[in-house]
Amino acid sequence: CTCKSWNDLIGSSSFVSTHLHRNVTNHAHVYLLCLHHPNFECVIDPDDPYLEEEVQWSLFSNERFEQCSKLSHPLGSTKNFVIYGSCNGLVCISDEILNFDSPIHIWNPSVRKLRTPPISTNINIKFSCVSLQFGFHPGVNDYKAVRMMRTNKGALAVEVYSLRADSWKMIEEIPSWLKCTWQHHKCTFFNGVAYHIIEKGPIISVMSFDSGTGEFEEFIAPDDICHYWELCIDVFKEQTCLLFSCYPYEEEGKEKFDLWVLQGKGWKQLCPFIYPVGYFYHLLGISIDNELLMGRRDFGKGVADLYLC
């Protein structure tokens, strides 16, 4: 009878919400999801250009960068898979090359539980570009997967999967400013909203899509952002932000990432992230503790390191 009462307690929605809120607030059980070579060595055979690189996913300590556990595909597949989002211990995985019918799995590695959404019946044509995002929408208390698909002719289709309802919904109304030729670049997912950096001719902007309401918005990027290849979108102090590395820092031996956060309908520039010159740094994102996560590569020595700034 004790087991039953405890099971009823920990299975209740109020307990789950309280436990989750506590962990999120305290940043407890936070890990880095990393894709790397086994034994952290890249094996390349110059005599065999078709040799496939072997890679794997692992969980690493958020503070010490130590490997905690390896993540194998939950269905035992040996194909490479990609993590398209993670939130509150759940990860969304799918094929390396996405199509409209690529199987999607929402997986909890800690308790080894898996949910495979049904294959959508809304669409049965091929798309040239498919993107997938996953996260939690606090406004509707549900986990959402957002799939955006474009044809070569610029037609856009958007589907939203609800974990609670275990079903897909097609978004019928696409705004007129998206019915044109545009290029999709980096993206992020925050508080149930999918954000995409898009390029329409000379204009760089951020498209937002609310997975709860189905509403789209466009935010033109700051004038200082002149191209997309040094541009990253992430979350900083509970705000959607843009990071851009192009202009040198005035202090010798230093470089910078300029930083803007989305406030209302516009962007507010904050103090830049400053880091030392001397290696090839590339931006990976921002940690849950609002630290800049960067990779540093030394091509001469063939090594790479992870840094928090």
Side-chain angles (χ1 to χ4, degrees):
C1 61
T2 303
C3 289
K4 184 179 185 306
S5 63
W6 285 5
N7 186 61
D8 290 342
L9 172 65
I10 66 173
S12 67
S13 59
S14 60
F15 181 91
V16 171
S17 297
T18 303
H19 179 65
L20 183 59
H21 177 75
R22 176 183 178 276
N23 283 342
V24 171
T25 303
N26 297 337
H27 293 174
H29 312 296
V30 175
Y31 296 93
L32 293 171
L33 282 163
C34 299
L35 182 68
H36 62 92
H37 298 282
N39 301 321
F40 307 98
E41 293 182 1
C42 178
V43 179
I44 299 177
D45 186 353
D47 299 324
D48 185 3
Y50 299 103
L51 177 68
E52 290 191 11
E53 292 184 271
E54 189 178 351
V55 291
Q56 70 178 53
W57 286 95
S58 292
L59 290 177
F60 283 75
S61 163
N62 188 47
E63 297 177 351
R64 299 182 305 277
F65 296 157
E66 294 173 353
Q67 187 178 16
C68 301
S69 63
K70 299 177 182 179
L71 299 181
S72 301
H73 195 288
L75 296 179
S77 172
T78 57
K79 288 172 53 179
N80 287 343
F81 63 93
V82 173
I83 293 176
Y84 289 95
S86 66
C87 185
N88 301 336
L90 300 182
V91 294
C92 178
I93 65 174
S94 190
D95 295 341
E96 199 170 12
I97 300 176
L98 288 173
N99 202 353
F100 77 95
D101 58 353
S102 297
I104 297 171
H105 306 290
I106 298 173
W107 175 34
N108 187 331
S110 299
V111 297
R112 300 192 175 117
K113 286 188 176 182
L114 183 73
R115 171 77 67 86
T116 301
I119 298 296
S120 171
T121 58
N122 295 324
I123 302 172
N124 58 3
I125 62 175
K126 277 198 170 291
F127 290 86
S128 61
C129 178
V130 180
S131 71
L132 177 63
Q133 291 170 275
F134 170 79
F136 182 69
H137 197 308
V140 296
N141 193 30
D142 194 9
Y143 291 89
K144 301 280 190 177
V146 176
R147 184 162 51 192
M148 294 190 179
M149 300 155 284
R150 289 174 46 232
T151 66
N152 289 325
K153 297 182 179 179
L156 176 68
V158 180
E159 282 188 306
V160 178
Y161 170 75
S162 163
L163 183 65
R164 182 194 297 164
D166 193 28
S167 62
W168 290 94
K169 177 185 176 182
M170 175 66 71
I171 303 301
E172 303 292 344
E173 296 186 11
I174 304 297
S176 57
W177 51 269
L178 281 174
K179 295 177 180 178
C180 62
T181 302
W182 51 275
Q183 297 295 321
H184 160 259
H185 300 294
K186 295 177 181 178
C187 55
T188 192
F189 195 96
F190 175 58
N191 277 348
V193 180
Y195 295 91
H196 291 254
I197 296 173
I198 62 174
E199 183 185 19
K200 297 186 296 181
I203 300 174
I204 297 174
S205 62
V206 172
M207 170 189 67
S208 75
F209 170 74
D210 190 315
S211 61
T213 64
E215 296 177 350
F216 292 86
E217 279 194 87
E218 183 180 24
F219 306 94
I220 304 299
D223 293 339
D224 288 346
I225 297 176
C226 51
H227 51 75
Y228 67 86
W229 57 85
E230 298 277 359
L231 182 62
C232 177
I233 186 166
D234 213 308
V235 177
F236 179 69
K237 294 185 177 180
E238 298 293 307
Q239 297 175 98
T240 304
C241 74
L242 291 174
L243 287 151
F244 185 61
S245 175
C246 178
Y247 305 109
Y249 188 58
E250 54 269 19
E251 183 181 336
E252 188 176 351
K254 303 283 186 180
E255 291 189 8
K256 66 172 181 173
F257 284 107
D258 287 308
L259 173 67
W260 293 264
V261 295
L262 183 61
Q263 293 187 348
K265 301 289 184 180
W267 300 96
K268 178 182 179 181
Q269 187 167 13
L270 303 183
C271 293
F273 280 106
I274 311 298
Y275 61 96
V277 177
Y279 294 89
F280 176 72
Y281 287 96
H282 62 285
L283 184 62
L284 298 175
I286 296 177
S287 77
I288 195 170
D289 296 314
N290 299 308
E291 295 174 308
L292 196 67
L293 189 63
M294 298 191 299
R296 190 189 77 173
R297 297 176 181 172
D298 187 329
F299 292 104
K301 298 180 179 178
V303 296
D305 297 300
L306 205 54
Y307 280 85
L308 284 176
C309 176

